[in-house]
Amino acid sequence: MVARAAAFAVFAVAMAATAAAQKKPDEVIAYRRSAMTMIGWNFGPMSAMVKGKIAFDAKEFAQHADRVAGLAPQVLEGFAQGSDKGAETDAKADIWTHFGDFKTKLNDLIEQSQAMSDVAKGGDEAKMKDQFKKLGGTCKACHDKYKQD
Amino acid sequence: MVARAAAFAVFAVAMAATAAAQKKPDEVIAYRRSAMTMIGWNFGPMSAMVKGKIAFDAKEFAQHADRVAGLAPQVLEGFAQGSDKGAETDAKADIWTHFGDFKTKLNDLIEQSQAMSDVAKGGDEAKMKDQFKKLGGTCKACHDKYKQD
């Protein structure tokens, strides 16, 4: 699955290059912000379940996990070259000067969100909670370095 | 696939009810607008290929089709009850007085986008273009009636 996610990520970057040729920076920024909004929407109840704030529902958790796994590669496309300037963005300028590191962190998100979806299909609550923490770690690692407060 | 999409749609509505209990109207509206932005992003190159404005690339087309199929059910969740008022929206008020019809149209989108993704996996250009027109028809049917210009 990791290999599949990585191969997919390479493909996604190639596609991003194509898309970037046709899209205005504002459109690219709107796309990535939309992807983040949708990931956040799905992440919220997963986090609340892991923290015990709402009842754990394995089926609903798995559904959200599947959504996040589908959305994660789309974030990468939303950072197409040329989208460093344009509409309002929380993306720090460091992204563009450290793009290799940034891309590695986004690939971590893609891999761990795919792993989250796979684990959630098994329905084991303890494993799901454990993998969710790994997934959350990939968000934090990137946000700490590349997202404005 | 149609049965699967329909079953999924029912599940999605049930989830939307759960999510709606925890979300503010502005968040729900932001979510559906994000889903629409992402669908539009993926629809653009598919449409351009069908119209011959850019070269037909079956692999890229299939990738966009897969994205749209994943995003379509999320639009439905973004019309959770209680999100009729709030942030700026292009959704006409008629949605809420004709919700059964609206939901039928969204389910058409979900089914035809899943069919599009399935057809695209086969890689037959003529079939892909034919199914894209059916899919586009589901967008238009709903926008004509329920989306403000």
Side-chain angles (χ1 to χ4, degrees), chain A residues 38 42 67 71, chain B residues 31-32 35 70-79:
Chain A
M38 296 188 77
N42 284 286
R67 296 277 168 82
L71 291 162
Chain B
Y31 183 66
R32 73 181 178 228
L71 290 163
Q74 301 179 66
V75 175
L76 189 55
E77 291 169 41
F79 284 94

Side-chain angles (χ1 to χ4, degrees), chain B residues 5 25 81 106 116 123 133:
Chain B
Q81 293 295 326
L106 273 185
M116 179 75 263
K133 285 165 192 168

Side-chain angles (χ1 to χ4, degrees), chain A residues 8 11-12 15 18-20 22-24 27-31 33-42 44-45 54 59-60 63-64 66-67 70-71 73-75 77-78 80, chain B residues 8 11-12 15 18-20 22-24 27-31 33-42 44-45 54 59-60 63-64 66-67 70-71 73-75 77-78 80:
Chain A
F8 184 77
F11 175 57
M15 274 189 56
T18 310
Q22 303 152 11
K23 303 279 184 185
K24 294 173 187 167
E27 289 178 300
V28 180
I29 292 170
Y31 183 67
R33 289 177 70 97
S34 293
M36 289 297 192
T37 294
M38 296 188 77
I39 289 173
W41 169 285
N42 284 286
I54 59 173
K59 194 175 174 185
E60 187 180 328
Q63 179 59 53
H64 288 302
D66 185 56
R67 296 277 168 82
L71 291 162
Q74 301 179 67
V75 175
E77 291 169 41
Chain B
F8 184 75
F11 175 57
M15 273 190 56
T18 310
Q22 303 152 11
K23 303 281 186 186
K24 293 174 186 167
E27 289 178 300
V28 179
I29 291 169
Y31 183 66
R33 289 177 72 96
S34 294
M36 289 297 192
T37 294
M38 296 187 77
I39 289 173
W41 169 285
N42 285 286
I54 61 172
K59 193 175 174 184
E60 187 179 329
Q63 179 60 52
H64 287 302
D66 185 56
R67 296 278 169 81
L71 290 163
Q74 301 179 66
V75 175
E77 291 169 41

Side-chain angles (χ1 to χ4, degrees), chain B residues 12 19 23 28 30-31 38 43 48 50 52 56 67 70 73 77-78 97-98 101 105 112 138 140 149:
Chain B
K23 303 281 186 186
V28 179
Y31 183 66
M38 296 187 77
F43 234 77
V50 169
F56 190 85
R67 296 278 169 81
E77 291 169 41
T97 52
H98 298 74
D101 178 59
K105 286 179 166 51
Q112 294 301 328
T138 68
K140 188 178 183 326
D149 291 331

Side-chain angles (χ1 to χ4, degrees), chain A residues 79-115:
Chain A
F79 284 94
Q81 293 295 325
S83 66
D84 54 327
K85 288 187 172 60
E88 185 187 345
T89 173
D90 295 329
K92 282 188 182 171
D94 282 352
I95 287 172
W96 310 101
T97 50
H98 298 75
F99 201 75
D101 178 59
F102 177 71
K103 207 163 70 176
T104 299
K105 286 179 166 49
L106 274 184
N107 282 332
D108 289 344
L109 168 71
I110 292 167
E111 288 181 13
Q112 294 301 326
S113 63
Q114 186 60 57

